[in-house]
Amino acid sequence: MTNKTACPLDCYDACEVIYEDDKLKAKKNGHTQGFLCPHLNHYDKYETIKSPRYNGVEISMDEALGKLKEILSSTYKSEILHYRGHGNFALMQEVTDHFFASFGSTLTDGTLCDGAGEAGIIEGRGSNKNMPLSEIRKSEVVILWGRNPHATSSHLLPIIKDKTIIVIDPIKTQIAKTADLHIQIKPHTDLYLAMLLTRFLYINDACDEEFLEKHASDFKEYYELTQGIRIKATLDEINVTLGDIGKIIEMVQGKKVAIVCGVGIQKYSDGAEVMRAIDAFGVALGLFGKEGCGVAYLGNSKSDITSPFYTKAKKVSKVNASFDEFKTVFIQGANPLAQMPNSLRVKDSISRTQNVIYFGLYENETSEVANLIIPAKTFLSKNDVRTSYSHDAMAFMPKQLESAVGISEYDLAKHLCEAFDIELKTQEYYLESFKRFAIKNEDETFVVKDRETIPYKDGFDTQTKEFLFLEEFEKIDSTDNKLHLITPKSQTSLNSQFAREQFVYLHSSLGFESGSTVKISSITGSVNLVVKHNNDLRNDCVLIYSATPGVNNLTSSKHSNDAKSAIFQENRVEISAC
Ligand SMILES: Nc1nc2c(c(=O)[nH]1)N[C@H]1C(S)=C(S)[C@@H](COP(=O)(O)OP(=O)(O)OC[C@H]3O[C@@H](n4cnc5c(=O)[nH]c(N)nc54)[C@H](O)[C@@H]3O)O[C@H]1N2
Ligand SMILES: Nc1nc2c(c(=O)[nH]1)N[C@H]1C(S)=C(S)[C@@H](COP(=O)(O)OP(=O)(O)OC[C@H]3O[C@@H](n4cnc5c(=O)[nH]c(N)nc54)[C@H](O)[C@@H]3O)O[C@H]1N2
Ligand code: SF4
Ligand SMILES: [Mo]
């Protein structure tokens, strides 16, 4: 048996892992480059759920599966919701969708993650084909725009270490401190920066005219739209100077540039427009279809792969599902009570659901309210395969370790399919059907075949083959005196798995004492947290990391304008002493 597998977590890097002497080690070559991150380095330190429970009482796995069958049999199919997150990012997680969809239950659509940005990309380019890591490696200048690689994609760091780095982030992140230029932008104003950069590029005669003529002939109209922005007032408002704009243009002109975006820019109702304006700056520079150039975001990890599972079903949004419309909710690989926006709404709604089933690895807010808890097997004790949203590798994840604890997603689905007479093929069949979409590289690793490493070589995927620019945009109203909530990813947790943050971080000039407890409030709710000072923040920002208990009391369950995507930074907040 091979000892090669891959990290299962929802992370850009999708590292290749070697399981040796009961330890997880990184593969030396390839993008993993010999190191993992704290999550996998300390993977065995986090206590997993060892035994199924029903109404607080430990039961055997057979009893749990019997109970599950009983619950499903006693619920109208239309009253069952299957809510699946990405606690494990590997592809066999979807096998339970196959059961629930075939059974007639409701599944979810929408996203808590990257959907607004993706919608903007698709509106402009006609598709979301990502600039992979292998191309970022060839660039000369990297603009990290709302991405925090030290926390969320550390394997990018060695790849970009000798390049010119520009960071656009309201926080002086670790990479911002060593970058060639850091624009500590006011949150939710990237649209203006992107449009002004494009305007000045044109004024400075620095656009790629040939590219625009061929692939983006409406550029002139877009330039006119950018002229609607008042330069001085806007720059003052977003805390960027004309000098900064000039520096960026000087640094990128004539260079191979990778604009590497993260989800930070698009946690707003107009997130799609922001991403589309950044893409437009890339277009003006002629960054598409060329080696070492492009705009990277979260690509579709499943593009060019057809799922063998049946998933046609009625769907409700992951962002604002009303659990109380269902009698039975089966939650897999997710912690919606902490990670969905507007937690108070979610808690209230789920309290009226009769049967809450939690299928996961760890205890959390969701297991706390579940009636039936079914422990999953860890990635080491089941067979799987995974892809990434930042590179094109497909990694095989054969079982490394027998374990009596938990059940795999395949075995659970098999049990249910047998119980309710639904067809399910063998596990090998499904694994092979994913593997068919991969081809072997010279270095023996596998990549998804048919994925272009340099997409948009022959134009964009819109009907006209041209890039479609924004034709209008919404002016953001920032006239109130409230603070911006910044809720990015923590270095110590992976969403709500592992070591979660507990604090609110504030600039010391806001006058709240370090160690004191404050109440942070928004229109949806409030949370009390202990203050820590952090002068890498702007003094109009409140930093509460994702997965800090209570953070989503503050966030809106509205969708972004252009997609069913969460908008975790839309609500402004106020602070008061407790
Ligand atoms: N350690 C760790 N790694 C993770 C995760 C984790 O929880 N922990 N989660 C994984 C998942 S699910 C995802 S989606 C990715 C996301 O990873 P990233 O794309 O890096 O996203 P975030 O950490 O949410 O935000 C990135 C940066 O955006 C900045 N930002 C916030 N608001 C704005 C703004 O208005 N404008 C600009 N320009 N910047 C802004 C934040 O300050 C932050 O530094 O990470 C994955 N990797
Ligand atoms: N405030 C705020 N909220 C956010 C975000 C933010 O930036 N700020 N980010 C959002 C984003 S980008 C995302 S992607 C979501 C993520 O939110 P979720 O998808 O809910 O992810 P987690 O909170 O990590 O919950 C994953 C659960 O999966 C379970 N699990 C792990 N491995 C397995 C397995 O192999 N099998 C099974 N059955 N279960 C497993 C674990 O028990 C874990 O508790 O959160 C969103 N919420
Ligand atoms: S969480 Fe990300 S960086 Fe850490 S080991 Fe997994 S894939 Fe690699
Ligand atoms: Mo995410």
Side-chain angles (χ1 to χ4, degrees):
M1 190 174 74
T2 165
N3 63 355
K4 282 190 202 134
T5 178
C7 173
L9 298 171
D10 181 352
C11 170
Y12 290 99
D13 296 356
C15 294
E16 293 153 295
V17 172
I18 295 168
Y19 185 67
E20 210 168 52
D21 308 326
D22 297 335
K23 286 201 175 68
L24 298 170
K25 298 176 185 168
K27 217 177 102 172
K28 293 270 184 308
N29 50 356
H31 69 278
T32 303
Q33 295 162 84
F35 73 96
L36 298 172
C37 76
H39 311 312
L40 274 219
N41 287 335
H42 304 295
Y43 193 70
D44 56 1
K45 297 213 174 90
Y46 297 94
E47 180 98 21
T48 55
I49 302 173
K50 295 289 182 302
S51 169
R53 291 201 302 274
Y54 184 65
N55 288 340
V57 179
E58 283 196 9
I59 53 175
S60 69
M61 186 58 81
D62 278 349
E63 286 168 323
L65 295 174
K67 200 78 217 163
L68 178 59
K69 184 180 169 193
E70 196 183 305
I71 293 172
L72 296 178
S73 309
S74 67
T75 315
Y76 288 121
K77 289 169 183 176
S78 60
E79 287 187 318
I80 301 171
L81 172 66
H82 176 49
Y83 186 103
R84 187 166 66 75
H86 286 295
N88 178 320
F89 208 77
L91 300 172
M92 286 300 284
Q93 289 288 313
E94 226 183 274
V95 64
T96 52
D97 293 14
H98 176 85
F99 165 73
F100 282 102
S102 310
F103 191 55
S105 323
T106 301
L107 267 51
T108 55
D109 58 11
T111 159
L112 301 180
C113 185
D114 60 336
E118 179 174 56
I121 288 178
I122 294 173
E123 283 158 13
R125 305 185 209 162
S127 64
N128 177 17
K129 294 180 182 164
N130 206 26
M131 177 186 194
L133 270 188
S134 50
E135 285 305 306
I136 299 176
R137 194 184 288 282
K138 297 176 196 156
S139 64
E140 295 163 299
V141 180
V142 175
I143 306 180
L144 291 158
W145 206 324
R147 168 86 81 94
N148 181 16
H150 281 89
T152 66
S153 32
S154 50
H155 293 82
L156 181 64
L157 295 167
I159 292 175
I160 63 174
K161 79 176 191 318
D162 296 323
K163 304 185 190 299
T164 301
I165 305 286
I166 301 170
V167 174
I168 303 169
D169 199 303
I171 302 181
K172 204 182 289 163
T173 54
Q174 207 170 332
I175 188 103
K177 289 180 185 167
T178 55
D180 297 277
L181 180 65
H182 174 212
I183 308 287
Q184 195 163 11
I185 192 169
K186 180 174 175 174
H188 202 178
T189 62
D190 301 273
L191 178 90
Y192 298 114
L193 177 60
M195 290 180 78
L196 285 175
L197 279 169
T198 309
R199 177 162 162 195
F200 279 98
L201 206 61
Y202 181 80
I203 294 170
N204 289 11
D205 248 343
C207 291
D208 185 334
E209 294 293 344
E210 201 187 314
F211 183 86
L212 289 178
E213 217 161 279
K214 237 168 135 183
H215 302 298
S217 58
D218 288 340
F219 180 74
K220 261 286 163 53
E221 281 88 336
Y222 181 64
Y223 172 70
E224 278 159 25
L225 187 72
T226 68
Q227 282 182 310
I229 300 174
R230 288 162 58 214
I231 296 173
K232 188 173 178 317
T234 307
L235 288 177
D236 287 350
E237 163 78 19
I238 73 175
N239 303 125
V240 178
T241 64
L242 265 183
D244 292 331
I245 300 257
K247 269 189 231 156
I248 296 180
I249 290 177
E250 202 180 306
M251 286 161 98
V252 298
Q253 217 173 332
K255 292 283 189 326
K256 287 186 182 168
V257 181
I259 304 180
V260 178
C261 301
V263 294
I265 51 164
Q266 54 93 65
K267 298 179 184 181
Y268 306 106
S269 49
D270 63 342
E273 290 178 1
V274 177
M275 188 66 231
R276 199 159 157 201
I278 293 174
D279 250 5
F281 177 54
V283 167
L285 283 165
L287 298 185
F288 291 90
K290 293 181 191 148
E291 190 171 80
C293 297
V295 180
Y297 180 59
L298 287 84
N300 176 356
S301 60
K302 291 188 201 153
S303 71
D304 300 300
I305 296 173
T306 311
S307 170
F309 298 120
Y310 181 78
T311 57
K312 231 172 134 184
K314 184 171 173 249
K315 293 189 178 143
V316 295
S317 170
K318 252 186 198 166
V319 180
N320 58 20
S322 292
F323 291 114
D324 54 2
E325 283 171 15
F326 299 90
K327 185 173 158 196
T328 296
V329 176
F330 182 97
I331 299 168
Q332 173 187 328
N335 182 11
L337 271 91
Q339 296 305 100
M340 268 171 90
N342 199 347
S343 300
L344 302 178
R345 186 201 71 85
V346 176
K347 275 181 201 149
D348 176 61
S349 156
I350 211 158
S351 71
R352 285 190 295 276
T353 301
Q354 192 171 325
N355 308 302
V356 179
I357 302 151
Y358 171 74
F359 178 34
L361 280 184
Y362 305 109
E363 301 288 2
N364 54 33
E365 290 87 337
T366 305
S367 70
E368 217 169 278
V369 302
N371 310 93
L372 178 61
I373 295 174
I374 303 179
K377 284 200 187 298
T378 74
F379 76 105
L380 290 169
S381 300
K382 57 197 177 197
N383 294 301
D384 223 319
V385 53
R386 78 161 291 173
T387 50
S388 153
Y389 43 84
S390 125
H391 58 72
D392 292 332
M394 182 184 278
F396 305 148
M397 305 165 69
K399 188 200 283 181
Q400 301 295 319
L401 180 69
E402 289 300 337
S403 165
V405 175
I407 185 167
S408 72
E409 286 66 26
Y410 179 80
D411 286 342
L412 184 116
K414 185 164 177 254
H415 179 87
L416 291 173
C417 286
E418 275 167 10
F420 293 102
D421 206 18
I422 287 167
E423 195 200 344
L424 187 78
K425 299 206 162 63
T426 63
Q427 177 165 226
E428 290 64 39
Y429 171 88
Y430 293 118
L431 289 167
E432 280 310 313
S433 47
F434 286 123
K435 290 179 185 175
R436 272 194 295 119
F437 292 99
I439 46 162
K440 210 184 219 172
N441 262 342
E442 299 109 47
D443 64 354
E444 302 289 298
T445 57
F446 285 79
V447 288
V448 179
K449 66 179 172 206
D450 300 334
R451 261 199 211 163
E452 301 159 79
T453 45
I454 307 177
Y456 310 112
K457 267 190 174 151
D458 306 314
F460 293 99
D461 289 333
T462 53
Q463 263 181 355
T464 56
K465 290 275 179 197
E466 301 217 10
F467 185 82
L468 299 182
F469 292 100
L470 277 173
E471 288 171 8
E472 54 182 7
F473 62 93
E474 213 178 293
K475 175 131 183 41
I476 307 144
D477 175 23
S478 56
T479 44
D480 64 33
N481 289 324
K482 292 185 184 165
L483 299 160
H484 293 273
L485 172 67
I486 305 286
T487 173
K489 310 298 184 183
S490 143
Q491 200 145 9
T492 59
S493 75
L494 196 293
N495 298 320
S496 73
Q497 303 188 66
F498 316 121
R500 292 164 65 177
E501 286 273 353
Q502 308 286 337
F503 301 98
V504 54
Y505 294 86
L506 300 173
H507 195 280
S508 57
S509 69
L510 285 176
F512 296 96
E513 232 174 89
S514 179
S516 66
T517 302
V518 294
K519 179 177 179 177
I520 305 109
S521 324
S522 78
I523 46 165
T524 52
S526 67
V527 59
N528 291 352
L529 292 170
V530 174
V531 174
K532 275 198 180 183
H533 285 165
N534 181 344
N535 286 353
D536 295 330
L537 298 175
R538 296 166 52 96
N539 63 8
D540 57 0
C541 290
V542 171
L543 167 61
I544 310 178
Y545 284 103
S546 171
T548 302
V551 61
N552 281 325
N553 292 357
L554 304 170
T555 56
S556 166
S557 57
K558 287 191 186 139
H559 284 141
S560 64
N561 299 340
D562 297 44
K564 285 186 176 176
S565 187
I567 46 172
F568 290 105
Q569 295 186 173
E570 184 79 4
N571 285 354
R572 308 277 182 104
V573 297
E574 288 173 293
I575 311 177
S576 54
C578 283

